[in-house]
Amino acid sequence: MPYPDVAALIQDADDRDAQRARDSENLAMLVDREDFELNFDYVSGVTDPDDPEVVRERAMRKKHGIKPPQLPILAPVAQRAPEITAELVERYRAAQKPYQVPEPEKPKNKFDLLNRSRAEAGR
């Protein structure tokens, strides 16, 4: 086989490998979106907006000035290479941080606990 034909076959194999990698990631992204949509539909269907826990969570978010993200933050659930999955999980957690309610600080003493409980009660 002449060397130009061998070179063309090698180039074609590289191109197909690159296309396969793009197709694989596109398919994984579709799986991530389908998982988000399924979970969103389920949670929306079973969550009671008048539930005291839901009302309390919304009040905490409002108190801290936390608004929902402009675009949904998708969790990487599809099977990918471990290094790619680790990077995507790290990005996902970093993207979620600004939208999480901060953990309350532990009271330093009983007086601090009393003041905090008074503040939460609105006094």
PDB file of all heavy atoms in Angstrom, residues 87-110:
ATOM      1  N   GLU A  87     -13.855  16.495  37.330  1.00  0.00           N
ATOM      2  CA  GLU A  87     -13.844  17.926  36.987  1.00  0.00           C
ATOM      3  C   GLU A  87     -15.263  18.485  36.927  1.00  0.00           C
ATOM      4  O   GLU A  87     -15.529  19.578  37.433  1.00  0.00           O
ATOM      5  CB  GLU A  87     -13.148  18.140  35.647  1.00  0.00           C
ATOM      6  CG  GLU A  87     -13.092  19.587  35.223  1.00  0.00           C
ATOM      7  CD  GLU A  87     -12.480  19.770  33.850  1.00  0.00           C
ATOM      8  OE1 GLU A  87     -11.703  18.910  33.421  1.00  0.00           O
ATOM      9  OE2 GLU A  87     -12.798  20.790  33.213  1.00  0.00           O
ATOM     10  N   LEU A  88     -16.198  17.731  36.331  1.00  0.00           N
ATOM     11  CA  LEU A  88     -17.574  18.208  36.230  1.00  0.00           C
ATOM     12  C   LEU A  88     -18.254  18.278  37.593  1.00  0.00           C
ATOM     13  O   LEU A  88     -19.038  19.198  37.850  1.00  0.00           O
ATOM     14  CB  LEU A  88     -18.366  17.318  35.274  1.00  0.00           C
ATOM     15  CG  LEU A  88     -17.967  17.421  33.803  1.00  0.00           C
ATOM     16  CD1 LEU A  88     -18.742  16.408  32.979  1.00  0.00           C
ATOM     17  CD2 LEU A  88     -18.203  18.827  33.278  1.00  0.00           C
ATOM     18  N   VAL A  89     -17.967  17.330  38.475  1.00  0.00           N
ATOM     19  CA  VAL A  89     -18.534  17.369  39.830  1.00  0.00           C
ATOM     20  C   VAL A  89     -17.998  18.588  40.576  1.00  0.00           C
ATOM     21  O   VAL A  89     -18.750  19.269  41.283  1.00  0.00           O
ATOM     22  CB  VAL A  89     -18.223  16.061  40.586  1.00  0.00           C
ATOM     23  CG1 VAL A  89     -18.499  16.192  42.069  1.00  0.00           C
ATOM     24  CG2 VAL A  89     -19.024  14.913  39.997  1.00  0.00           C
ATOM     25  N   GLU A  90     -16.716  18.873  40.413  1.00  0.00           N
ATOM     26  CA  GLU A  90     -16.132  20.050  41.054  1.00  0.00           C
ATOM     27  C   GLU A  90     -16.790  21.331  40.540  1.00  0.00           C
ATOM     28  O   GLU A  90     -17.137  22.217  41.326  1.00  0.00           O
ATOM     29  CB  GLU A  90     -14.622  20.079  40.774  1.00  0.00           C
ATOM     30  CG  GLU A  90     -13.873  21.121  41.560  1.00  0.00           C
ATOM     31  CD  GLU A  90     -12.380  21.020  41.309  1.00  0.00           C
ATOM     32  OE1 GLU A  90     -11.833  19.911  41.420  1.00  0.00           O
ATOM     33  OE2 GLU A  90     -11.781  22.071  40.997  1.00  0.00           O
ATOM     34  N   ARG A  91     -16.993  21.434  39.241  1.00  0.00           N
ATOM     35  CA  ARG A  91     -17.679  22.603  38.658  1.00  0.00           C
ATOM     36  C   ARG A  91     -19.112  22.711  39.169  1.00  0.00           C
ATOM     37  O   ARG A  91     -19.594  23.797  39.463  1.00  0.00           O
ATOM     38  CB  ARG A  91     -17.720  22.491  37.134  1.00  0.00           C
ATOM     39  CG  ARG A  91     -16.465  22.897  36.461  1.00  0.00           C
ATOM     40  CD  ARG A  91     -16.745  23.032  34.988  1.00  0.00           C
ATOM     41  NE  ARG A  91     -15.641  22.561  34.214  1.00  0.00           N
ATOM     42  CZ  ARG A  91     -15.684  22.299  32.914  1.00  0.00           C
ATOM     43  NH1 ARG A  91     -16.802  22.448  32.252  1.00  0.00           N
ATOM     44  NH2 ARG A  91     -14.619  21.885  32.289  1.00  0.00           N
ATOM     45  N   TYR A  92     -19.794  21.559  39.262  1.00  0.00           N
ATOM     46  CA  TYR A  92     -21.180  21.531  39.733  1.00  0.00           C
ATOM     47  C   TYR A  92     -21.277  22.048  41.165  1.00  0.00           C
ATOM     48  O   TYR A  92     -22.127  22.885  41.483  1.00  0.00           O
ATOM     49  CB  TYR A  92     -21.710  20.100  39.630  1.00  0.00           C
ATOM     50  CG  TYR A  92     -23.066  19.880  40.245  1.00  0.00           C
ATOM     51  CD1 TYR A  92     -24.210  20.382  39.646  1.00  0.00           C
ATOM     52  CD2 TYR A  92     -23.199  19.157  41.419  1.00  0.00           C
ATOM     53  CE1 TYR A  92     -25.460  20.173  40.203  1.00  0.00           C
ATOM     54  CE2 TYR A  92     -24.443  18.940  41.980  1.00  0.00           C
ATOM     55  CZ  TYR A  92     -25.565  19.448  41.369  1.00  0.00           C
ATOM     56  OH  TYR A  92     -26.801  19.250  41.925  1.00  0.00           O
ATOM     57  N   ARG A  93     -20.406  21.571  42.030  1.00  0.00           N
ATOM     58  CA  ARG A  93     -20.428  22.011  43.430  1.00  0.00           C
ATOM     59  C   ARG A  93     -20.090  23.492  43.551  1.00  0.00           C
ATOM     60  O   ARG A  93     -20.670  24.203  44.373  1.00  0.00           O
ATOM     61  CB  ARG A  93     -19.482  21.167  44.263  1.00  0.00           C
ATOM     62  CG  ARG A  93     -19.998  19.763  44.445  1.00  0.00           C
ATOM     63  CD  ARG A  93     -19.113  18.936  45.320  1.00  0.00           C
ATOM     64  NE  ARG A  93     -19.691  17.610  45.495  1.00  0.00           N
ATOM     65  CZ  ARG A  93     -18.995  16.521  45.664  1.00  0.00           C
ATOM     66  NH1 ARG A  93     -17.677  16.578  45.706  1.00  0.00           N
ATOM     67  NH2 ARG A  93     -19.597  15.355  45.806  1.00  0.00           N
ATOM     68  N   ALA A  94     -19.144  23.962  42.751  1.00  0.00           N
ATOM     69  CA  ALA A  94     -18.788  25.390  42.783  1.00  0.00           C
ATOM     70  C   ALA A  94     -19.951  26.245  42.288  1.00  0.00           C
ATOM     71  O   ALA A  94     -20.198  27.331  42.818  1.00  0.00           O
ATOM     72  CB  ALA A  94     -17.546  25.637  41.933  1.00  0.00           C
ATOM     73  N   ALA A  95     -20.683  25.762  41.296  1.00  0.00           N
ATOM     74  CA  ALA A  95     -21.818  26.517  40.765  1.00  0.00           C
ATOM     75  C   ALA A  95     -22.973  26.553  41.761  1.00  0.00           C
ATOM     76  O   ALA A  95     -23.754  27.502  41.785  1.00  0.00           O
ATOM     77  CB  ALA A  95     -22.280  25.903  39.440  1.00  0.00           C
ATOM     78  N   GLN A  96     -23.101  25.530  42.601  1.00  0.00           N
ATOM     79  CA  GLN A  96     -24.183  25.472  43.587  1.00  0.00           C
ATOM     80  C   GLN A  96     -23.920  26.334  44.816  1.00  0.00           C
ATOM     81  O   GLN A  96     -24.865  26.781  45.458  1.00  0.00           O
ATOM     82  CB  GLN A  96     -24.375  24.033  44.069  1.00  0.00           C
ATOM     83  CG  GLN A  96     -25.252  23.207  43.203  1.00  0.00           C
ATOM     84  CD  GLN A  96     -25.556  21.886  43.888  1.00  0.00           C
ATOM     85  OE1 GLN A  96     -24.705  21.314  44.559  1.00  0.00           O
ATOM     86  NE2 GLN A  96     -26.760  21.420  43.713  1.00  0.00           N
ATOM     87  N   LYS A  97     -22.672  26.572  45.155  1.00  0.00           N
ATOM     88  CA  LYS A  97     -22.337  27.275  46.401  1.00  0.00           C
ATOM     89  C   LYS A  97     -23.059  28.606  46.579  1.00  0.00           C
ATOM     90  O   LYS A  97     -23.570  28.868  47.661  1.00  0.00           O
ATOM     91  CB  LYS A  97     -20.835  27.476  46.499  1.00  0.00           C
ATOM     92  CG  LYS A  97     -20.164  26.292  47.112  1.00  0.00           C
ATOM     93  CD  LYS A  97     -18.802  26.629  47.596  1.00  0.00           C
ATOM     94  CE  LYS A  97     -18.359  25.368  48.268  1.00  0.00           C
ATOM     95  NZ  LYS A  97     -17.137  25.195  48.718  1.00  0.00           N
ATOM     96  N   PRO A  98     -23.124  29.480  45.583  1.00  0.00           N
ATOM     97  CA  PRO A  98     -23.783  30.775  45.824  1.00  0.00           C
ATOM     98  C   PRO A  98     -25.285  30.656  46.117  1.00  0.00           C
ATOM     99  O   PRO A  98     -25.875  31.595  46.631  1.00  0.00           O
ATOM    100  CB  PRO A  98     -23.569  31.540  44.519  1.00  0.00           C
ATOM    101  CG  PRO A  98     -22.534  30.817  43.766  1.00  0.00           C
ATOM    102  CD  PRO A  98     -22.522  29.418  44.262  1.00  0.00           C
ATOM    103  N   TYR A  99     -25.886  29.523  45.824  1.00  0.00           N
ATOM    104  CA  TYR A  99     -27.328  29.359  45.985  1.00  0.00           C
ATOM    105  C   TYR A  99     -27.702  28.526  47.208  1.00  0.00           C
ATOM    106  O   TYR A  99     -28.855  28.168  47.382  1.00  0.00           O
ATOM    107  CB  TYR A  99     -27.917  28.737  44.717  1.00  0.00           C
ATOM    108  CG  TYR A  99     -27.609  29.569  43.500  1.00  0.00           C
ATOM    109  CD1 TYR A  99     -26.622  29.194  42.604  1.00  0.00           C
ATOM    110  CD2 TYR A  99     -28.282  30.756  43.269  1.00  0.00           C
ATOM    111  CE1 TYR A  99     -26.314  29.969  41.505  1.00  0.00           C
ATOM    112  CE2 TYR A  99     -27.984  31.549  42.181  1.00  0.00           C
ATOM    113  CZ  TYR A  99     -27.001  31.146  41.303  1.00  0.00           C
ATOM    114  OH  TYR A  99     -26.714  31.928  40.220  1.00  0.00           O
ATOM    115  N   GLN A 100     -26.744  28.222  48.055  1.00  0.00           N
ATOM    116  CA  GLN A 100     -27.018  27.438  49.250  1.00  0.00           C
ATOM    117  C   GLN A 100     -27.184  28.364  50.452  1.00  0.00           C
ATOM    118  O   GLN A 100     -26.486  29.372  50.578  1.00  0.00           O
ATOM    119  CB  GLN A 100     -25.882  26.450  49.514  1.00  0.00           C
ATOM    120  CG  GLN A 100     -25.792  25.359  48.474  1.00  0.00           C
ATOM    121  CD  GLN A 100     -24.624  24.429  48.712  1.00  0.00           C
ATOM    122  OE1 GLN A 100     -23.703  24.750  49.448  1.00  0.00           O
ATOM    123  NE2 GLN A 100     -24.654  23.282  48.068  1.00  0.00           N
ATOM    124  N   VAL A 101     -28.124  28.002  51.320  1.00  0.00           N
ATOM    125  CA  VAL A 101     -28.331  28.760  52.548  1.00  0.00           C
ATOM    126  C   VAL A 101     -27.154  28.470  53.467  1.00  0.00           C
ATOM    127  O   VAL A 101     -26.812  27.305  53.687  1.00  0.00           O
ATOM    128  CB  VAL A 101     -29.660  28.348  53.218  1.00  0.00           C
ATOM    129  CG1 VAL A 101     -29.837  29.059  54.545  1.00  0.00           C
ATOM    130  CG2 VAL A 101     -30.832  28.631  52.298  1.00  0.00           C
ATOM    131  N   PRO A 102     -26.509  29.515  54.000  1.00  0.00           N
ATOM    132  CA  PRO A 102     -25.363  29.263  54.881  1.00  0.00           C
ATOM    133  C   PRO A 102     -25.788  28.554  56.159  1.00  0.00           C
ATOM    134  O   PRO A 102     -26.884  28.770  56.670  1.00  0.00           O
ATOM    135  CB  PRO A 102     -24.822  30.668  55.176  1.00  0.00           C
ATOM    136  CG  PRO A 102     -25.853  31.622  54.752  1.00  0.00           C
ATOM    137  CD  PRO A 102     -26.780  30.924  53.817  1.00  0.00           C
ATOM    138  N   GLU A 103     -24.915  27.701  56.642  1.00  0.00           N
ATOM    139  CA  GLU A 103     -25.170  26.981  57.887  1.00  0.00           C
ATOM    140  C   GLU A 103     -25.143  27.976  59.048  1.00  0.00           C
ATOM    141  O   GLU A 103     -24.268  28.842  59.101  1.00  0.00           O
ATOM    142  CB  GLU A 103     -24.101  25.907  58.110  1.00  0.00           C
ATOM    143  CG  GLU A 103     -24.167  24.766  57.128  1.00  0.00           C
ATOM    144  CD  GLU A 103     -25.399  23.903  57.329  1.00  0.00           C
ATOM    145  OE1 GLU A 103     -25.811  23.703  58.485  1.00  0.00           O
ATOM    146  OE2 GLU A 103     -25.946  23.445  56.321  1.00  0.00           O
ATOM    147  N   PRO A 104     -26.090  27.845  59.984  1.00  0.00           N
ATOM    148  CA  PRO A 104     -26.059  28.761  61.130  1.00  0.00           C
ATOM    149  C   PRO A 104     -24.842  28.485  62.003  1.00  0.00           C
ATOM    150  O   PRO A 104     -24.432  27.338  62.175  1.00  0.00           O
ATOM    151  CB  PRO A 104     -27.360  28.452  61.879  1.00  0.00           C
ATOM    152  CG  PRO A 104     -27.752  27.092  61.432  1.00  0.00           C
ATOM    153  CD  PRO A 104     -27.197  26.911  60.043  1.00  0.00           C
ATOM    154  N   GLU A 105     -24.264  29.547  62.521  1.00  0.00           N
ATOM    155  CA  GLU A 105     -23.103  29.393  63.390  1.00  0.00           C
ATOM    156  C   GLU A 105     -23.549  28.791  64.714  1.00  0.00           C
ATOM    157  O   GLU A 105     -24.655  29.048  65.176  1.00  0.00           O
ATOM    158  CB  GLU A 105     -22.458  30.756  63.640  1.00  0.00           C
ATOM    159  CG  GLU A 105     -21.892  31.402  62.410  1.00  0.00           C
ATOM    160  CD  GLU A 105     -21.336  32.790  62.713  1.00  0.00           C
ATOM    161  OE1 GLU A 105     -21.083  33.090  63.917  1.00  0.00           O
ATOM    162  OE2 GLU A 105     -21.163  33.563  61.784  1.00  0.00           O
ATOM    163  N   LYS A 106     -22.666  28.027  65.323  1.00  0.00           N
ATOM    164  CA  LYS A 106     -22.976  27.464  66.635  1.00  0.00           C
ATOM    165  C   LYS A 106     -22.931  28.596  67.669  1.00  0.00           C
ATOM    166  O   LYS A 106     -22.037  29.450  67.614  1.00  0.00           O
ATOM    167  CB  LYS A 106     -21.973  26.378  66.999  1.00  0.00           C
ATOM    168  CG  LYS A 106     -22.126  25.125  66.175  1.00  0.00           C
ATOM    169  CD  LYS A 106     -21.253  24.036  66.722  1.00  0.00           C
ATOM    170  CE  LYS A 106     -21.512  22.757  65.948  1.00  0.00           C
ATOM    171  NZ  LYS A 106     -20.754  21.652  66.495  1.00  0.00           N
ATOM    172  N   PRO A 107     -23.882  28.591  68.585  1.00  0.00           N
ATOM    173  CA  PRO A 107     -23.861  29.640  69.610  1.00  0.00           C
ATOM    174  C   PRO A 107     -22.621  29.501  70.497  1.00  0.00           C
ATOM    175  O   PRO A 107     -22.198  28.401  70.835  1.00  0.00           O
ATOM    176  CB  PRO A 107     -25.144  29.407  70.403  1.00  0.00           C
ATOM    177  CG  PRO A 107     -25.560  28.022  70.092  1.00  0.00           C
ATOM    178  CD  PRO A 107     -25.002  27.683  68.748  1.00  0.00           C
ATOM    179  N   LYS A 108     -22.063  30.656  70.856  1.00  0.00           N
ATOM    180  CA  LYS A 108     -20.856  30.653  71.675  1.00  0.00           C
ATOM    181  C   LYS A 108     -21.172  30.357  73.142  1.00  0.00           C
ATOM    182  O   LYS A 108     -20.387  29.753  73.844  1.00  0.00           O
ATOM    183  CB  LYS A 108     -20.149  31.998  71.552  1.00  0.00           C
ATOM    184  CG  LYS A 108     -19.681  32.278  70.144  1.00  0.00           C
ATOM    185  CD  LYS A 108     -19.148  33.673  70.002  1.00  0.00           C
ATOM    186  CE  LYS A 108     -18.839  33.921  68.542  1.00  0.00           C
ATOM    187  NZ  LYS A 108     -18.797  35.308  68.194  1.00  0.00           N
ATOM    188  N   ASN A 109     -22.337  30.815  73.570  1.00  0.00           N
ATOM    189  CA  ASN A 109     -22.744  30.577  74.953  1.00  0.00           C
ATOM    190  C   ASN A 109     -24.271  30.578  75.018  1.00  0.00           C
ATOM    191  O   ASN A 109     -24.941  30.780  74.016  1.00  0.00           O
ATOM    192  CB  ASN A 109     -22.133  31.625  75.899  1.00  0.00           C
ATOM    193  CG  ASN A 109     -22.422  33.036  75.417  1.00  0.00           C
ATOM    194  OD1 ASN A 109     -23.515  33.314  74.919  1.00  0.00           O
ATOM    195  ND2 ASN A 109     -21.452  33.921  75.558  1.00  0.00           N
ATOM    196  N   LYS A 110     -24.814  30.393  76.193  1.00  0.00           N
ATOM    197  CA  LYS A 110     -26.266  30.309  76.342  1.00  0.00           C
ATOM    198  C   LYS A 110     -26.932  31.657  76.081  1.00  0.00           C
ATOM    199  O   LYS A 110     -28.047  31.716  75.574  1.00  0.00           O
ATOM    200  CB  LYS A 110     -26.630  29.791  77.730  1.00  0.00           C
ATOM    201  CG  LYS A 110     -26.299  28.334  77.903  1.00  0.00           C
ATOM    202  CD  LYS A 110     -26.786  27.805  79.215  1.00  0.00           C
ATOM    203  CE  LYS A 110     -26.423  26.321  79.317  1.00  0.00           C
ATOM    204  NZ  LYS A 110     -26.968  25.712  80.498  1.00  0.00           N
TER     205      LYS A 110
END
